[in-house]
Amino acid sequence: MISVVLAAGLVLAGVPSGEDTWGSDAEATGEIIRTNLWEAERERRTREKDQPDPEKRLAEYLRSAYCARAGEESGSGAVLPCGDVPADDDLPECDDAGVLEPLLRRTRATPATPWGPWYVLSDWACAGDLVPAFTAADFRELPLAPPALHVQPARGQVLVHMPTIVYSDDAVQTLETELLGYRFEVQATPSSYRWDFGDGETVTTRTPGRPYPAKDVAHAYRSTGTQRVTLTVTWTGRYRVAGAAGWQDVDGTATTTASTPDFTVVERRSRLVTGTCDDEPDAAGC
């Protein structure tokens, strides 16, 4: 995609530095008002959010091709919305997202007074440039929930030298977040699972394992003691502006970590008994 270089800065003669120029009578001074794509769109979204009732707004916005408007009554730089599109050589070269029409603005002093003339707030640009990139840093800031971590047997004790089964799930998480005024839908998908069994042994898998009788992810402890399993899941993501059709991949990954409660690795020896554990629940091995 080839970016468009737009006029930088907002040119408003006679307006003190630091004052809010939105809805001011700057247009009446006859100055040409142009700012960059981001600032223009942020202004529009902010103003329309602050005043949702169009009848009460002091600034109105329109995306349209424009024609120069001559005459002292309109002021220098005023324009009219029109259908005159520049030649292709004068338009930015954009990808499949297409070309974005200029954003025009006009203002009025009060809801009861007439609208002033239209001015160009931002010029022709690529539609794809309007949407901010959703970065790996943004992805890592999302409140991803660690998937559930299960251990079998699940009674707080496991047997030494016997397989201890662990498993999780591969559920996709869908979240929404806001970035620079845009609502984003984000889908996070587990891509790998790193199992730390607490005794120095680790294993990384592409799948989350399954419960007994499957033994996809299992570990035999070689000594007794207290242990815990820690699972670190690596997530890949994709995103889109809420309601849009196309998804884009996040350029990076995120991780979540979860641990089991402590459990005890024990040793059990077989013994001959005269009855069952139902008959003698306190007998050795019951």
Side-chain angles (χ1 to χ4, degrees), residues 131-134 175-180 182-186 239-242:
V131 179
F134 192 83
L175 304 95
E176 285 198 358
T177 189
E178 185 170 302
L179 179 62
L180 298 178
Y182 286 84
R183 295 296 300 172
F184 279 86
E185 296 173 348
V186 184
Y239 67 93
R240 66 182 180 185
V241 174

Side-chain angles (χ1 to χ4, degrees), residues 140-154:
R140 295 182 189 113
E141 290 180 0
L142 293 177
L144 290 172
L149 173 54
H150 306 279
V151 175
Q152 289 181 319

Side-chain angles (χ1 to χ4, degrees), residues 114-150:
W115 288 105
W118 288 103
Y119 286 83
V120 179
L121 193 58
S122 64
D123 223 316
W124 298 88
C126 293
D129 292 341
L130 187 61
V131 179
F134 192 83
T135 66
D138 298 321
F139 186 46
R140 295 182 189 113
E141 290 180 0
L142 293 177
L144 290 172
L149 173 54
H150 306 279

Side-chain angles (χ1 to χ4, degrees), residues 162-173:
M162 296 293 290
T164 297
I165 298 170
V166 290
Y167 64 96
S168 184
D169 64 58
D170 58 357
V172 174
Q173 296 188 42

Side-chain angles (χ1 to χ4, degrees), residues 41-274:
E41 183 63 18
R42 181 170 58 184
E43 174 186 325
R44 181 187 71 81
R45 287 174 173 268
T46 301
R47 298 297 286 185
E48 292 179 354
K49 181 179 179 181
D50 291 344
Q51 180 48 265
D53 186 354
E55 298 298 323
K56 297 180 180 179
R57 292 174 186 163
L58 301 182
E60 187 175 48
Y61 301 85
L62 174 68
R63 286 208 176 273
S64 173
Y66 62 89
C67 301
R69 178 177 177 178
E72 292 181 358
E73 76 283 354
S74 65
S76 173
V79 298
L80 286 173
C82 67
D84 291 349
V85 178
D88 290 345
D89 290 345
D90 296 326
L91 292 175
E93 297 181 20
C94 304
D95 59 14
D96 293 340
V99 177
L100 195 67
E101 291 183 318
L103 183 64
L104 310 184
R105 182 183 72 177
R106 64 180 180 176
T107 65
R108 57 186 175 180
T110 71
T113 55
W115 288 105
W118 288 103
Y119 286 83
V120 179
L121 193 58
S122 64
D123 223 316
W124 298 88
C126 293
D129 292 341
L130 187 61
V131 179
F134 192 83
T135 66
D138 298 321
F139 186 46
R140 295 182 189 113
E141 290 180 0
L142 293 177
L144 290 172
L149 173 54
H150 306 279
V151 175
Q152 289 181 319
R155 54 177 179 264
Q157 291 184 341
V158 301
L159 294 177
V160 69
H161 303 306
M162 296 293 290
T164 297
I165 298 170
V166 290
Y167 64 96
S168 184
D169 64 58
D170 58 357
V172 174
Q173 296 188 42
T174 301
L175 304 95
E176 285 198 358
T177 189
E178 185 170 302
L179 179 62
L180 298 178
Y182 286 84
R183 295 296 300 172
F184 279 86
E185 296 173 348
V186 184
Q187 286 187 349
T189 303
S191 60
S192 69
Y193 303 78
R194 184 179 186 274
W195 313 84
D196 185 336
F197 296 99
D199 61 352
E201 296 291 331
T202 64
V203 64
T204 299
T205 64
R206 294 292 180 184
T207 58
R210 292 175 295 170
Y212 182 86
K215 298 179 182 179
D216 299 339
V217 188
H219 176 67
Y221 289 96
R222 293 189 292 270
S223 60
T224 60
T226 300
Q227 298 290 357
R228 70 170 58 182
V229 177
T230 299
L231 171 62
T232 300
V233 178
T234 298
W235 302 80
T236 58
R238 62 177 189 165
Y239 67 93
R240 66 182 180 185
V241 174
W247 291 91
Q248 299 183 60
D249 292 333
V250 176
D251 186 17
T253 60
T255 59
T256 57
T257 301
S259 297
T260 66
D262 289 350
F263 55 86
T264 305
V265 182
V266 298
E267 183 177 14
R268 291 285 187 257
R269 296 181 181 276
S270 59
R271 289 185 173 86
L272 293 175
V273 295
T274 57

